[in-house]
Amino acid sequence: YDLLKRFTMPTLEGPKAAIAVTSETSKVLQSLYTLMLQMIVTQIWYLVVLVGMALSASPKKKRSHNISIANVIIWNAQASPLDIIKLMFGYIAHISLYAILWAFLAALAWAASIVLSLLVSPDLIIGQAAPVSINAIYVPELSTISTTNSYSLRVNQLSTPSNLRAIGLADNLTSNANVEVGKPIVSTDPSSGAQVYKIDYAYSLTDVDFGLQSASGLYLNVSGSCSTDYSWYYGDDDSTDILQDVYLKFGTGPFVNVSTADGGPPLCTVYLHPGLPTSPIGSNISYAIVPSTMQRKSYTEGTDPWYLTSVLPELDPHGAGYAVQRARPVLSCWQTDIWSYGGQSRSINDLAQLGALPSSLVAVFQRFLGVPRIVGLTQALGTTALKSATGSQGFYFDAQTSNLHDDLQRLILGAYSATKNTLQETTKFSRQYPDITNLILGTDGNPLPGTENFVIHTSDASALSIAMLISVPIVAFLLL
């Protein structure tokens, strides 16, 4: 990121002109501006006392002896509003209205000095952010020329750290996150009699969440739903020593397998439906999550569709009494992403038509959010994707506390975090492979215009309001 550079800071109150400095510098400036605001309040108070004394001393007005004495006291004690408050209480019995008026004004001056000093931090320091350094941006390109498996795998490798950071943030998100994951709606399949779980989810993000310097009012609304689907299950294949369950991908093929050789912890594989919509607004993108939980052992009984257990015929050497049944249902899902700006709405494919973003940032969003973010996240996490796997030890886990709702919620929160940090992560990709080109570079080798039109959130820098930086010293100077 760049320091001492003017930029536009996105805030909930709208974009604000700002300049970035180090956090240490912002603390020094905060102290300095606190002193200046206190000085401004003191100077205004002195003016109030001066005007009050002048009006009271007018020869056209008759005043009592007690008021004259009170004026002397107020003038001599004007440096301390608290002292005036105390002294005026002694005159309430003699000049009640006059004493109460000055006690009130002194209390107002004292309170103003305290309140304004407290307002320095939020009004001066409007965020922990700085404008991105354009040379730090690197977006590994999904090249249409280099289509080898090696190239694709290396691009995925570069993306793995960002997905791990996203799921780490998801595990620490609170209820304040703008994400809704509904409770399972349970029904019965009339043909098979199996219980069907349906879980709806939604989340939304704004230009402020993305850290965009412009495009104020840009809004992304994501909604989706997942249901247990038993129709994928084709049968078992135990022709080898490895137990396998066979599923028919999206009901048409090809076959995909889960087996006891998949690994120890419960895991899942995500598949994107091949028939992706090209652009229509509101079109659903379908994907499915296939669990591999069969024969994982547990010390407790599980009743969830993904973790339904049966009693082991023989006691396990380690004391486990249950194992997950075979033929677990797939989660069949759909998701819709709608981008809105200026009263218009578009899909990700038509994002450029909104006119909110430069073409370079449109390309970045399309690169990472062209398909539901949960798909790439789940693929990258592998055996660490499911919440049930986080406490497992080899083939052993706790089936009683494991359920597909918590697993899905974790992935959705991770997708939300990854989506929110889409632009932030462009400064964190490794550049270890020279043949993987940078998406944001033009044909001349220079970054495309508008690529740097966002901020980096960091605790090492502070965004200072330019309006506050300029106005406070001017007012303080004028009151001297």
Side-chain angles (χ1 to χ4, degrees), residues 210-258:
F210 288 122
L212 291 166
Q213 291 195 47
S214 59
S216 179
L218 183 68
Y219 189 88
L220 169 62
N221 184 66
V222 176
S223 59
S225 182
C226 292
S227 300
T228 52
D229 187 346
Y230 293 84
S231 65
W232 277 43
Y233 184 70
Y234 189 78
D236 57 47
D237 180 7
D238 298 340
S239 57
T240 65
D241 293 336
I242 299 172
L243 304 182
Q244 293 187 97
D245 279 351
V246 182
Y247 294 85
L248 192 61
K249 192 175 177 182
F250 293 103
T252 58
F255 292 114
V256 293
N257 302 326
V258 299

Side-chain angles (χ1 to χ4, degrees), residues 21 25 49 73 79 106 115 130 198 284 289 299 350 355 382 412 431 438 463 465 476:
V21 298
T25 301
V49 172
I73 292 173
V115 171
K198 180 175 180 288
N284 296 337
I289 303 175
Y299 299 96
D350 293 331
I412 292 168
R431 305 189 187 213
N438 191 349
S465 168

Side-chain angles (χ1 to χ4, degrees), residues 366-425:
Q366 289 177 337
R367 158 71 171 84
F368 294 106
L369 305 179
V371 298
R373 191 61 180 86
I374 191 173
V375 174
L377 176 76
T378 306
Q379 288 173 338
L381 294 177
T383 58
T384 63
L386 299 180
K387 186 175 182 179
S388 59
T390 57
S392 65
Q393 293 185 350
F395 276 85
Y396 298 86
F397 80 110
D398 186 29
Q400 188 178 52
T401 57
S402 299
N403 60 81
L404 63 85
H405 173 272
D406 289 351
D407 288 336
L408 181 62
Q409 178 175 258
R410 181 174 190 253
L411 294 174
I412 292 168
L413 288 172
Y416 167 82
S417 296
T419 302
K420 181 179 180 180
N421 292 316
T422 297
L423 299 178
Q424 309 291 309
E425 289 291 339

Side-chain angles (χ1 to χ4, degrees), residues 458-474:
T458 172
S459 59
D460 296 328
S462 296
L464 305 183
S465 168
I466 290 180
M468 190 76 168
L469 283 172
I470 295 174
S471 61
V472 171
I474 290 177

Side-chain angles (χ1 to χ4, degrees), residues 2 14 76 118 144 152 154 160 224 252 264 293 307 318 349 358-359 370 372 394 409-410 438 449 461 468 475:
D2 293 325
N76 291 334
L118 293 176
T144 56
S152 299
R154 285 184 288 124
T160 297
T252 58
T293 59
Y307 304 103
H318 297 285
N349 295 320
S359 59
Q409 178 175 258
R410 181 174 190 253
N438 191 349
M468 190 76 168
V475 173

Side-chain angles (χ1 to χ4, degrees), residues 294-373:
M294 58 175 288
Q295 298 301 297
R296 302 316 197 271
K297 295 179 180 180
S298 173
Y299 299 96
T300 56
E301 182 181 9
T303 58
D304 184 81
W306 273 10
Y307 304 103
L308 182 64
T309 59
S310 57
V311 178
L312 287 171
E314 297 180 2
L315 189 65
D316 180 78
H318 297 285
Y322 302 89
V324 178
Q325 296 180 16
R326 304 179 68 170
R328 294 302 84 222
V330 168
L331 265 187
S332 182
C333 308
W334 61 264
Q335 181 173 304
T336 298
D337 295 8
I338 299 177
W339 295 79
S340 302
Y341 178 76
Q344 301 182 69
S345 296
R346 293 290 187 274
S347 67
I348 184 68
N349 295 320
D350 293 331
L351 181 58
Q353 294 181 11
L354 291 177
L357 299 170
S359 59
S360 54
L361 293 186
V362 169
V364 172
F365 281 122
Q366 289 177 337
R367 158 71 171 84
F368 294 106
L369 305 179
V371 298
R373 191 61 180 86

